[in-house]
C-alpha cells in the first residue's frame, strides 16, 4: 500500500471521473479521545490511500474493510463502529463511527476505435451512462478538445492495432469504425484472436462484412468466432447522419451491457457531502 499526498477530495473527483474502484471513509461521530474529528475523510483504492483518519489500528481496520468490499464488488454504504480501546486496541480509548461508501467503478468498458463523426457522437451519447470509454485513433490530432471534459474517457493515439487490442482490459465491448478499411480489418482480426470481448461491432455495409468475413476466415478464424461480429451496426432505419447511426449503435449496445450493471454508483461530490453531514 502507498499513501499519496493528493487530498481526499481531489482523489475522489479524479477517481470518479476515471471510473476507478474506490471507497470514501468519513468519520461521522466520535466520543472521548479520538485521533480525528467528525468530518475527517480519506479515500481508499486497492493500492493507495489518500488523506487520513488519524492513523493507528482503527484506520488500518477501516482500510481493510474498504478493500474487502472493493474486492467483492459490493457497492453502497455501511457504518463501521470502532471502540478504540476494544476493537482497535488503541490507548486513547474513545469511540468512532465511520461511514464507508464503496464505488466499484465503471461496470462497462467500451473500446472505441475511430474518432470520426460517428465515433464522436457515440462518445457524447455514452457519457451519461457511466461507462469507461477507451478511445483509439491512429491519426495525429484526431481527438476533439471537448474530450477532456468527458468523464471516464481515455484517448489513446495508437498506430499498432495488435498492441492497442492487447492493452485492453478483459471483458470489454468493442466498436471498430476507423477511417481505414485495412485498419478496421486488422483490429477485428486482433479482437477475434484475443477472444475475450463481450461484444464486437464493426461499422459498414453488408458487402464490407462479406469481404472481411472471407479474409478473416482465410486468416484462421472459425465460423463461431466470425458469428460474434455485428456488422452492420446501428440500424438507423436508413438515416445515414452520424448522430442517427450513433444513437442506434448505443441502443444496440445497451441490452448487451445490461448484465454488467449494478445499482447507481454516482458519487457525491464534495459540496453534496458537506450538505449531507452539515444539514
Amino acid at each position: 500500500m502507498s499513501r499519496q499526498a493528493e487530498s481526499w477530495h481531489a482523489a475522489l473527483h479524479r477517481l470518479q471521473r476515471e471510473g476507478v474502484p474506490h471507497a470514501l471513509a468519513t468519520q461521522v461521530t466520535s466520543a472521548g479521545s479520538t485521533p480525528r474529528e467528525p468530518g475527517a475523510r480519506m479515500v481508499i483504492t486497492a493500492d493507495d490511500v489518500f488523506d487520513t483518519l488519524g492513523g493507528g489500528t482503527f484506520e488500518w481496520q477501516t482500510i481493510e474493510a474498504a478493500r474487502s468490499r472493493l474486492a467483492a464488488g459490493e457497492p453502497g454504504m455501511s457504518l463501521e463502529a470502532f471502540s478504540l480501546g476494544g476493537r482497535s486496541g488503541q490507548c486513547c480509548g474513545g469511540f468512532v463511527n465511520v461511514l464507508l461508501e464503496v464505488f466499484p467503478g465503471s461496470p462497462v468498458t467500451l473500446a472505441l476505435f475511430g474518432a470520426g463523426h460517428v465515433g464522436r457522437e457515440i462518445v457524447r451519447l455514452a457519457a451519461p451512462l457511466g461507462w469507461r470509454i477507451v478511445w483509439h485513433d491512429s491519426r495525429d490530432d484526431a481527438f476533439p478538445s471537448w474530450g477532456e471534459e468527458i468523464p471516464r474517457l481515455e484517448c489513446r493515439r495508437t498506430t499498432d492495432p495488435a498492441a492497442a487490442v492487447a492493452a485492453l482490459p478483459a471483458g470489454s465491448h468493442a466498436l471498430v469504425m476507423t477511417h481505414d478499411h485495412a485498419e478496421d480489418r486488422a483490429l477485428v482480426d486482433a479482437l477475434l484472436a484475443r477472444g475475450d470481448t463481450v461484444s464486437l461491432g464493426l461499422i459498414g455495409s453488408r458487402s464490407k462484412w462479406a469481404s472481411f468475413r472471407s479474409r478473416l476466415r482465410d486468416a484462421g478464424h472459425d465460423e463461431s468466432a466470425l458469428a460474434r461480429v455485428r456488422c452492420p451496426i446501428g440500424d438507423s432505419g436508413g438515416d445515414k447522419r452520424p448522430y442517427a447511426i450513433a444513437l442506434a449503435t448505443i441502443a444496440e449496445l445497451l441490452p448487451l451491457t445490461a448484465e454488467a450493471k449494478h445499482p447507481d454508483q454516482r458519487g457525491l461530490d464534495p459540496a453534496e457531502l458537506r450538505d449531507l453531514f452539515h444539514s
Side-chain angles (χ1 to χ4, degrees):
M1 180 192 75
S2 62
R3 190 175 293 273
Q4 304 296 326
E6 189 176 14
S7 66
W8 71 266
H9 47 85
L12 180 65
H13 177 70
R14 176 177 57 79
L15 294 167
Q16 292 272 323
R17 285 186 58 84
E18 294 175 356
V20 175
H22 60 284
L24 174 66
T26 304
Q27 183 174 327
V28 292
T29 65
S30 64
S33 177
T34 60
R36 291 291 303 275
E37 68 290 343
R41 299 180 177 93
M42 69 178 179
V43 170
I44 303 149
T45 70
D47 302 306
D48 297 317
V49 173
F50 305 88
D51 239 314
T52 180
L53 297 184
T57 303
F58 106 89
E59 182 175 281
W60 281 95
Q61 290 170 331
T62 300
I63 293 168
E64 289 303 307
R67 288 184 171 157
S68 176
R69 296 266 305 280
L70 286 169
E74 298 175 357
M77 299 183 182
S78 64
L79 193 65
E80 300 285 333
F82 297 93
S83 172
L84 300 187
R87 175 180 175 181
S88 301
Q90 295 181 217
C91 60
C92 51
F95 189 89
V96 171
N97 280 316
V98 175
L99 179 66
L100 197 59
E101 299 175 83
V102 176
F103 306 90
S106 298
V108 172
T109 296
L110 173 61
L112 178 60
F113 294 91
H117 297 299
V118 176
R120 292 182 181 213
E121 296 296 350
I122 285 174
V123 169
R124 291 182 192 271
L125 287 166
L129 297 176
W131 300 347
R132 179 191 177 201
I133 304 174
V134 187
W135 199 8
H136 303 76
D137 202 285
S138 60
R139 298 168 293 177
D140 292 326
D141 303 319
F143 300 108
S145 59
W146 51 256
E148 298 174 2
E149 305 302 320
I150 301 294
R152 298 172 300 278
L153 175 65
E154 180 182 352
C155 297
R156 298 180 181 175
R157 182 183 178 273
T158 176
T159 56
D160 184 341
V165 169
L168 292 176
S172 298
H173 296 261
L175 291 175
V176 178
M177 50 182 65
T178 77
H179 65 290
D180 181 81
H181 279 206
E183 190 172 330
D184 282 354
R185 190 170 62 252
L187 285 163
V188 174
D189 186 14
L191 288 160
L192 288 175
R194 176 163 171 165
D196 65 354
T197 53
V198 179
S199 70
L200 171 53
L202 170 67
I203 201 168
S205 64
R206 287 180 174 82
S207 60
K208 174 181 176 179
W209 175 235
S211 173
F212 273 38
R213 186 185 184 96
S214 175
R215 295 191 182 196
L216 290 165
R217 188 188 297 113
D218 291 343
H221 299 290
D222 61 25
E223 290 300 322
S224 62
L226 294 171
R228 297 182 56 241
V229 181
R230 303 186 321 282
C231 182
I233 55 171
D235 183 359
S236 59
D239 190 332
K240 296 183 179 181
R241 288 175 293 180
Y243 180 84
I245 297 170
L247 189 62
T249 300
I250 291 290
E252 187 177 84
L253 271 175
L254 282 171
L256 300 177
T257 65
E259 290 186 3
K261 291 180 180 177
H262 43 62
D264 180 21
Q265 52 184 295
R266 183 188 68 87
L268 298 175
D269 67 25
E272 291 174 311
L273 287 166
R274 285 194 297 272
D275 292 341
L276 178 63
F277 292 112
H278 299 289
S279 58

